[in-house]
């Protein structure tokens, strides 16, 4: 089997993006924003990256009904049937289950790449090489292959993969997964050399993913197959609108990677950052002389360092005396908070604002 001919990708783009609040809002989350003034949104850049590997009709996007119109607006070349629109928000495991089912019906030999929509890749050629090597591996084995990158700092906002026994060239059995450890544990992981960052990218045969999902999730798609002897996209979409809420709200990491025995990790070298948090954006972006990161904003900085600043167009900020802060404004919200461990802080602030001020501020 020629791996590339049977390769497909699903981009997960249904998240609410609350870790980048207030610039990422529930009605228009981060994956649909040109966050860095690059001329393309995070979703569009992810699509462009995979378009260098796959034909456009082999790329699928999973989202929710609330964001479907944005996906179609930003990716007009994507075939209509390649947008999987969920009726309610669920975590990533149901999204992957639906995509694997749809794609396995299109191509019984399909190989599937699952990708988040909000990642920074430094070396596109290395990314292409690592993905192609991974596709060749999963094309010949019933395995889920995660893509790991060597950590450069003790980042508590990322997931970590512990490498076990080596089973191939840069391929290792997975010993354990740890999601968002405390900073002290992240430092231990970094110093041990046994742990890699979990990029959220993973590859497998679509049929093998379906097999894994059928054992771990409610039999929603088995019910569809039993009721519909002839596969039909419109019938599946209607069925999923009615039955999708039966899926539990769990992540693909938990449902597949942590509970499937045949999971390996590839040590990748394409240079990576999760652009889903303020701290990760700070670490990934080029810094000024005073180690500030100013994101597509008009700012005068005086005696301030180690900050990340993001403002709307047409606003001017004068920042003095701050060290290690986030300064972010969008619409009716201004956020100023310490950058360290900001993922937990922002999550707390979003919950507090939601309870005290309502959805207009979230």
């Amino acid at each position: 089997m020629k791996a590339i001919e049977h390769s497909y990708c699903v981009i997960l783009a249904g998240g609410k993006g609350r870790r980048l609040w207030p610039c990422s809002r529930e009605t228009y989350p981060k994956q649909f924003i040109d966050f860095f003034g690059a001329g393309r949104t995070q979703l569009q850049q992810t699509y462009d990256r995979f378009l260098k590997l796959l034909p456009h009709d082999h790329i699928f996007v999973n989202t929710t009904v609330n964001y479907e119109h944005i996906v179609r607006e930003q990716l007009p070349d994507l075939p209509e049937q390649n947008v999987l629109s969920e009726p309610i928000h669920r975590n990533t495991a149901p999204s992957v289950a639906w995509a694997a089912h749809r794609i396995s019906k299109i191509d019984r030999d399909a190989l599937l790449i699952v990708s988040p929509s909000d990642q920074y890749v430094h070396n596109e050629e290395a990314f292409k090489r690592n993905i192609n090597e991974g596709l060749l591996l999963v094309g010949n084995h019933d395995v889920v292959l995660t893509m790991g990158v060597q950590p450069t700092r003790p980042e508590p906002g990322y997931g970590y993969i512990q490498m076990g026994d080596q089973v191939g060239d840069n391929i290792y059995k997975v010993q354990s997964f740890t999601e968002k450890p405390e900073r002290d544990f992240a430092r231990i992981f970094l110093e041990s050399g046994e742990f890699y960052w979990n990029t959220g990218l993973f590859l497998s045969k679509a049929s093998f993913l379906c097999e894994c999902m059928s054992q771990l999730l409610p039999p929603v798609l088995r019910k569809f197959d039993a009721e519909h002897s002839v596969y039909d996209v419109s019938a599946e979409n209607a069925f999923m609108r009615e039955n999708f809420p039966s899926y539990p709200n769990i992540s693909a990491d938990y449902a597949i990677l942590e509970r499937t025995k045949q999971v390996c990790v590839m040590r990748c070298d394409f240079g990576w950052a999760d652009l889903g948090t303020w701290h990760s954006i700070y670490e990934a972006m080029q810094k000024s002389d005073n180690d500030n990161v100013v994101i597509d904003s008009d700012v005068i900085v005086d005696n301030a360092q180690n900050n990340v600043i993001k403002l709307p167009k047409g606003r001017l900020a004068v920042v003095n005396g701050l060290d290690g802060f986030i300064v972010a404004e969008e619409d009716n919200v201004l956020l100023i908070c310490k950058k360290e461990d900001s993922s937990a802080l922002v999550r707390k602030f979003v919950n507090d604002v939601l309870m005290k001020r309502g959805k207009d501020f979230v």
Side-chain angles (χ1 to χ4, degrees):
M1 179 176 69
K2 294 182 179 179
I4 302 304
E5 291 181 8
H6 296 277
S7 298
Y8 298 78
C9 171
V10 58
I11 301 170
L12 304 178
K16 296 181 180 180
R18 287 180 171 175
R19 293 180 299 166
L20 280 180
W21 180 83
C23 295
S24 174
R25 307 298 280 267
E26 188 162 324
T27 56
Y28 215 89
K30 64 181 185 296
Q31 60 268 29
F32 305 120
I33 299 172
D34 179 11
F35 206 84
F36 305 100
R40 299 285 280 174
T41 68
Q42 292 192 41
L43 171 64
Q44 289 172 323
Q45 291 182 63
T46 303
Y47 176 78
D48 294 343
R49 187 174 303 125
F50 283 105
L51 203 56
K52 298 173 184 176
L53 290 162
L54 308 168
H56 77 286
D57 59 345
H58 282 213
I59 301 174
F60 290 72
V61 175
N62 180 280
T63 190
T64 68
V65 291
N66 295 333
Y67 306 145
E68 180 180 354
H69 69 286
I70 307 176
V71 171
R72 297 195 185 281
E73 178 183 289
Q74 293 194 359
L75 302 178
D77 295 337
L78 197 68
E80 181 178 354
Q81 67 272 18
N82 285 31
V83 179
L84 307 182
S85 181
E86 301 173 359
I88 61 172
H89 279 281
R90 280 287 185 261
N91 213 316
T92 51
S95 306
V96 174
W98 187 7
H101 179 271
R102 168 72 64 84
I103 292 167
S104 66
K105 293 296 182 181
I106 296 169
D107 183 348
R108 60 183 296 177
D109 296 321
L111 309 178
L112 183 57
I113 308 162
V114 178
S115 173
S117 57
D118 55 352
Q119 299 192 327
Y120 168 76
V121 170
H122 174 70
N123 189 330
E124 296 279 353
E125 284 303 312
F127 179 83
K128 182 176 180 180
R129 183 183 68 251
N130 289 153
I131 291 292
N132 284 334
E133 290 169 352
L135 289 170
L136 290 172
L137 176 74
V138 300
N140 292 308
H141 300 87
D142 285 339
V143 66
V144 178
L145 179 66
T146 65
M147 313 299 275
V149 295
Q150 188 170 12
T152 57
R153 63 184 187 276
E155 172 57 60
Y158 288 177
Y160 289 74
I161 303 171
Q162 184 181 19
M163 297 181 297
D165 295 335
Q166 186 169 0
V167 294
D169 187 20
N170 282 326
I171 307 293
Y172 297 79
K173 292 288 290 182
V174 169
Q175 184 75 17
S176 68
F177 287 93
T178 304
E179 183 66 14
K180 297 180 176 62
E182 297 291 334
R183 187 174 296 277
D184 289 343
F185 282 106
R187 186 172 290 107
I188 293 171
F189 292 168
L190 175 67
E191 292 171 353
S192 75
E194 297 179 10
F195 290 81
Y196 269 47
W197 279 336
N198 181 8
T199 64
L201 281 156
F202 62 91
L203 290 65
S204 185
K205 293 175 185 172
S207 59
F208 184 66
L209 282 178
C210 289
E211 181 183 324
C212 295
M213 289 294 189
S214 68
Q215 298 171 13
L216 302 173
L217 295 177
V220 174
L221 293 173
R222 290 204 303 272
K223 179 182 177 184
F224 170 82
D225 289 335
E227 294 180 1
H228 300 81
S229 56
V230 178
Y231 180 73
D232 178 81
V233 170
S234 298
E236 184 188 83
N237 288 339
F239 176 87
M240 291 304 290
R241 283 194 292 271
E242 180 179 349
N243 291 275
F244 196 83
S246 298
Y247 276 126
N249 188 30
I250 60 176
S251 70
D253 282 358
Y254 177 75
I256 305 172
L257 304 185
E258 296 184 25
R259 301 174 67 182
T260 302
K261 292 182 179 179
Q262 299 98 311
V263 181
C264 294
V265 57
M266 173 186 284
R267 297 196 308 178
C268 300
D269 58 358
F270 48 76
W272 169 90
D274 171 8
L275 297 181
T277 69
W278 288 110
H279 194 276
S280 62
I281 284 177
Y282 177 82
E283 293 291 342
M285 295 288 290
Q286 184 175 353
K287 298 168 182 61
S288 69
D289 292 340
N290 293 321
D291 287 333
N292 294 298
V293 169
V294 178
I295 306 171
D296 195 28
S297 302
D298 190 3
V299 180
I300 297 173
V301 178
D302 177 71
N303 190 30
Q305 51 275 326
N306 305 314
N307 304 296
V308 54
I309 305 167
K310 169 71 172 169
L311 303 174
K313 292 291 186 183
R315 294 294 182 94
L316 169 67
V318 179
V319 179
N320 169 267
L322 293 184
D323 186 349
F325 275 77
I326 298 165
V327 180
E329 181 184 2
E330 182 64 33
D331 194 16
N332 54 1
V333 177
L334 169 65
L335 171 71
I336 303 173
C337 78
K338 289 292 288 183
K339 177 163 56 62
E340 186 172 5
D341 296 329
S342 57
S343 294
L345 284 173
V346 171
R347 192 160 48 243
K348 172 185 178 299
F349 296 151
V350 168
N351 290 335
D352 288 349
V353 169
L354 193 58
M355 291 180 62
K356 296 175 181 178
R357 296 291 189 271
K359 283 192 172 184
D360 288 345
F361 296 91
V362 175

